[in-house]
Amino acid sequence: MHTAQQQVVNHECGISAALNIRYMAWMSGCICKISALWVFVRLLGFLAVSVAPQAAMASDLPIATRVLAVGDEQAGRIVIDFDQPVDVSHSLLESPWRLVLDLDRVVFGFSDSERSLTGLATDLRYGDMDAAHSRMIFEFAEPFSVASVRGQNAGDGLPYSVIVEYRASNPETFTQARQSLLQTASVVSRLNKSDRLGANQSGQASSIFTVVLDPGHGGIDSGAVGVSGVEEKEIVLNFAETLREELEKYANIRVEMTREDDVFVRLQSRVQIARQLNAQLFVSLHADSVRESYVRGATVYTISDKASDAIAAQLASNENASDTIAGIEYDGPVSAVGDILVDLARRETVGLSVQFARLTINHLTEATQTNKNPHRYAGFRVLKAPDVPSVLVELGYLSNEEDEKQLQDPQWRQNVATELAQAIAEFGTMSGRQVARKELE
């Protein structure tokens, strides 16, 4: 018997043995407890009627408690244990070979000691895609075919398991299977943002200056990981919340965020949110990691077809892969109507973006160390709105120990947010809005 098959048998035997033990214990206890149970029957019936509605309202999300992938070069099985039943759908992705499992929102409660990958499955990424959905992505060393995806309820308080059976395959068979699954609806909403955000269609000028803050990454996409293990998605969300509080101290500034918690937002959606809100400024916040650990300091990036340097090109490549990391394929550029008019608008927008970048750098130098080359540019997809001035602010680099420490310092965060808010307010005034700090009450 193959090692993978033996491990699978052991797993199922463990469930059966546990069931038998619990059954025997129950039988022995019933004889001595039956009288006491009879006394409580009527009371429990009353409690069930009065408490059940409240319990239903307070039901918790399913918790993933363990991940086990066993197998060899020929076949294998993935077992994911939950504390309650879940629904799951799957899809496939190439380059590298990946299995994507989509679920309604769950809690990932397992530790490193409770996840084990052997056989063709070599890596696991997981997280929330939005407020209602979660995703797990298994990476494989070779092409594979999925034989089955099923749920197994052990019952009597034992884990509910999602079980994926797979076997080794070839690239052609994998591609055919992947194409047959493409008709399955994605868990990522593709609704037009104007349907939900109520964009202003009147065309009338507004005295309100709207800025969209974009905390990078989120959910299944953790972004860069610091020397001590801190994740970029958490760093930038904390900073965005502090910056929003600072901006709310100014009159006539409207602040919106592309995400307010730990969820994934695809790159194109971030751009669409800014456009549908008629934003006058889009600020994407990051704290990346680069190969050169000596690189540190705040840096402001603007859009360009050609990167200013190798580091800018590296960062743009990393950031543009965000959708791929989350298991979403890039749709490609959307063709625009009236290319000449769009190009003219883009040129004006790029000029305003550069203007704001210089203004931002002047303010950041008052609160933190800036990079020796603080204004750089590259082809960041998140900065490609043709009609919204956009910059990407690297608050620092998590690959540098000193930057990582200050990125986690609340006082540093407050100082930098204060200066960046002043830069945004000044840019709003330059654009013709009446922006000023609110009078203290």
Side-chain angles (χ1 to χ4, degrees):
M1 181 181 293
H2 287 297
T3 302
Q5 294 173 323
Q6 184 63 54
Q7 287 179 284
V8 169
V9 170
N10 291 344
H11 176 76
E12 292 183 338
C13 288
I15 293 176
S16 299
L19 281 169
N20 290 335
I21 292 172
R22 292 176 70 91
Y23 178 74
M24 293 293 291
W26 178 78
M27 285 294 292
S28 61
C30 275
I31 297 174
C32 62
K33 295 179 181 177
I34 189 167
S35 297
L37 287 173
W38 181 84
V39 174
F40 288 108
V41 165
R42 298 183 70 179
L43 176 60
L44 289 175
F46 169 77
L47 290 175
V49 172
S50 60
V51 175
Q54 289 88 339
M57 292 175 63
S59 60
D60 294 329
L61 294 173
I63 301 175
T65 58
R66 186 181 69 153
V67 178
L68 173 68
V70 295
D72 53 25
E73 295 180 354
Q74 299 301 318
R77 170 183 283 187
I78 295 171
V79 180
I80 309 167
D81 290 338
F82 295 87
D83 68 337
Q84 58 183 288
V86 298
D87 292 324
V88 61
S89 62
H90 77 283
S91 57
L92 302 174
L93 292 172
E94 296 176 306
S95 302
W97 318 105
R98 284 164 290 168
L99 169 67
V100 179
L101 300 180
D102 285 319
L103 312 103
D104 288 339
R105 186 81 176 265
V106 301
V107 175
F108 296 101
F110 50 82
S111 62
D112 289 340
S113 62
E114 294 163 324
R115 51 180 286 187
S116 174
L117 304 178
T118 60
L120 291 179
T122 60
D123 195 15
L124 167 63
R125 183 180 299 111
Y126 55 88
D128 295 330
M129 295 298 288
D130 55 37
H133 303 96
S134 298
R135 173 171 285 188
M136 304 181 74
I137 302 178
F138 292 86
E139 188 170 319
F140 285 70
E142 302 291 341
F144 62 95
S145 61
V146 177
S148 66
V149 178
R150 59 188 173 88
Q152 176 174 303
N153 196 341
D156 199 25
L158 292 177
Y160 178 89
S161 298
V162 171
I163 302 172
V164 181
E165 304 275 4
Y166 70 86
R167 56 179 176 269
S169 182
N170 57 68
E172 293 76 17
T173 302
F174 184 94
T175 299
Q176 291 175 1
R178 175 179 169 276
Q179 291 175 346
S180 68
L181 289 170
L182 285 178
Q183 59 187 349
T184 302
S186 169
V187 299
V188 178
S189 174
R190 296 177 180 272
L191 292 175
N192 188 319
K193 289 294 187 295
S194 62
D195 294 337
R196 296 186 291 171
L197 297 178
N200 178 16
Q201 303 293 335
S202 66
Q204 297 178 354
S206 171
S207 62
I208 300 298
F209 181 81
T210 301
V211 55
V212 172
L213 305 181
D214 174 45
H217 309 282
I220 195 171
D221 176 17
S222 61
V225 178
V227 180
S228 67
V230 64
E231 295 179 333
E232 179 182 6
K233 65 177 182 179
E234 179 182 352
I235 291 290
V236 296
L237 182 58
N238 289 339
F239 184 87
E241 291 169 344
T242 303
L243 178 56
R244 176 170 60 182
E245 292 175 0
E246 281 299 307
L247 287 169
E248 288 173 345
K249 297 176 182 179
Y250 290 84
N252 292 342
I253 289 185
R254 173 191 179 191
V255 188
E256 300 287 351
M257 290 172 56
T258 56
R259 68 178 182 96
E260 296 182 332
D261 54 12
D262 186 18
V263 297
F264 173 80
V265 183
R266 63 180 302 175
L267 296 175
Q268 184 62 28
S269 295
R270 296 172 189 266
V271 177
Q272 288 175 344
I273 288 171
R275 298 193 68 198
Q276 296 297 339
L277 286 170
N278 293 318
Q280 283 79 47
L281 182 63
F282 177 85
V283 181
S284 191
L285 300 166
H286 290 264
D288 274 292
S289 178
V290 294
R291 289 186 295 267
E292 300 80 359
S293 61
Y294 60 84
V295 175
R296 66 167 307 197
T299 313
V300 183
Y301 288 85
T302 52
I303 189 71
S304 174
D305 293 333
K306 182 179 179 181
S308 58
D309 51 79
I311 292 178
Q314 175 188 340
L315 283 177
S317 177
N318 293 343
E319 294 301 335
N320 291 346
S322 179
D323 285 358
T324 302
I325 290 172
I328 298 174
E329 296 179 283
Y330 180 38
D331 296 332
V334 180
S335 59
V337 179
D339 290 337
I340 296 177
L341 294 178
V342 170
D343 185 57
L344 290 173
R346 182 179 292 111
R347 291 182 185 181
E348 180 181 5
T349 298
V350 169
L352 291 172
S353 300
V354 171
Q355 186 179 35
F356 176 69
R358 293 170 178 169
L359 183 62
T360 299
I361 292 168
N362 289 338
H363 276 275
L364 289 178
T365 55
E366 299 296 324
T368 187
Q369 177 175 334
T370 57
N371 188 270
K372 65 178 182 180
N373 184 14
H375 180 202
R376 306 189 184 209
Y377 46 86
F380 293 92
R381 280 172 50 199
V382 78
L383 302 182
K384 289 191 173 181
D387 50 356
V388 182
S390 306
V391 300
L392 186 149
V393 178
E394 286 288 347
L395 299 168
Y397 295 88
L398 286 173
S399 46
N400 181 276
E401 289 188 14
E402 287 120 310
D403 271 8
E404 185 195 37
K405 289 178 183 178
Q406 68 180 17
L407 284 164
Q408 300 177 77
D409 180 2
Q411 188 58 56
W412 176 90
R413 183 165 58 239
Q414 182 63 58
N415 294 342
V416 175
T418 299
E419 290 295 332
L420 185 51
Q422 290 180 14
I424 292 171
E426 289 180 25
F427 185 74
T429 301
M430 291 167 56
S431 68
R433 271 66 176 182
Q434 300 298 317
V435 175
R437 285 184 68 89
K438 296 176 182 177
E439 294 292 336
L440 295 178
E441 296 181 356

